[in-house]
Amino acid sequence: MLEKWFYQSEAWAAALPSEKAAYLIFKDIYIGTNNGDLDITIRQMADAINVGKNVANKAINGLIEKGFLEVTKRSSFHVKNRTATLYRLTEYACDVSGNPATKAFMKWRCEEKQQSRIEDQQSRERDKCCKSDTVKPANSPVRGTVGTNYDFSQYREQDTYIDIPQGVMVNEQR
């Protein structure tokens, strides 16, 4: 079960659906005494949340980046000894090392996306927001309606959807 303070965090709101599904799989693996010893491979995660391996890998890395998970032991794939990466949920204390819950996801903040070109950083005069005391233009969503400027000549008649009222008979011509 997710607590209210948990799912109202900024990190949870910014998490992708695949990340949320992966977190729920980790919560399902956690039985109360194995935090820090949670092991699941990328392939197992991909099968569990019904996505590809790349998406599952990005979901787990996203959970680590946002502070929901921490790696307690990296994987090693030697010929005789193959072990998966071990994780811990930061929501709970680590049962392996005894470290307290860090809840690092509560400190996570969404980064502002940086724009590369200076033209993208500055609004043109016509793109700036109107002041509240000025009159909105006629085609504004707040006042008036927006006129259509579409050219429908590119569509064939059989490609368009026509809403026909119930009970009206229509003759099809082909």
Side-chain angles (χ1 to χ4, degrees):
M1 180 173 101
L2 298 178
E3 302 293 332
K4 187 174 184 178
W5 61 267
F6 180 87
Y7 65 80
Q8 287 182 341
S9 68
E10 187 174 343
W12 187 255
L16 298 172
S18 59
E19 294 171 351
K20 291 178 180 183
Y23 187 81
L24 294 177
I25 297 298
F26 278 108
K27 281 281 268 201
D28 190 46
I29 295 171
Y30 176 62
I31 58 172
T33 58
N34 63 339
N35 198 19
D37 204 19
L38 304 174
D39 64 336
I40 188 167
T41 65
I42 299 297
R43 288 182 186 197
Q44 291 171 334
M45 181 60 75
D47 290 341
I49 63 175
N50 199 22
V51 295
K53 291 184 293 183
N54 290 340
V55 175
N57 189 31
K58 287 179 184 178
I60 291 174
N61 288 334
L63 291 173
I64 293 169
E65 176 191 323
K66 289 178 179 69
F68 292 107
L69 289 177
E70 287 180 1
V71 175
T72 57
K73 183 180 176 189
R74 293 272 173 207
S75 63
S76 62
F77 290 99
H78 300 290
V79 176
K80 292 184 179 182
N81 184 15
R82 293 179 179 219
T83 58
T85 301
L86 300 178
Y87 303 95
R88 76 173 273 230
L89 298 170
T90 60
E91 180 180 2
Y92 305 110
C94 183
D95 296 320
V96 174
S97 65
N99 293 336
T102 61
K103 298 180 183 172
F105 57 90
M106 295 300 288
K107 299 171 191 147
W108 184 87
R109 296 291 173 247
C110 186
E111 296 176 0
E112 292 290 326
K113 292 184 179 179
Q114 293 185 354
Q115 298 173 345
S116 58
R117 299 184 321 198
I118 221 156
E119 297 90 38
D120 294 339
Q121 296 175 1
Q122 298 174 350
S123 297
R124 288 180 271 168
E125 195 62 38
R126 64 184 173 101
D127 292 340
K128 292 184 179 177
C129 295
C130 300
K131 294 181 181 176
S132 60
D133 58 345
T134 60
V135 177
K136 303 279 186 215
N139 62 351
S140 168
V142 177
R143 178 173 179 241
T145 59
V146 177
T148 58
N149 295 328
Y150 301 115
D151 180 19
F152 291 108
S153 63
Q154 64 186 354
Y155 300 109
R156 297 183 311 187
E157 185 176 328
Q158 61 265 28
D159 291 342
T160 58
Y161 174 80
I162 301 170
D163 190 17
I164 300 170
Q166 190 174 3
V168 175
M169 299 295 289
V170 176
N171 293 332
E172 286 187 81
Q173 296 178 359
R174 295 251 177 195

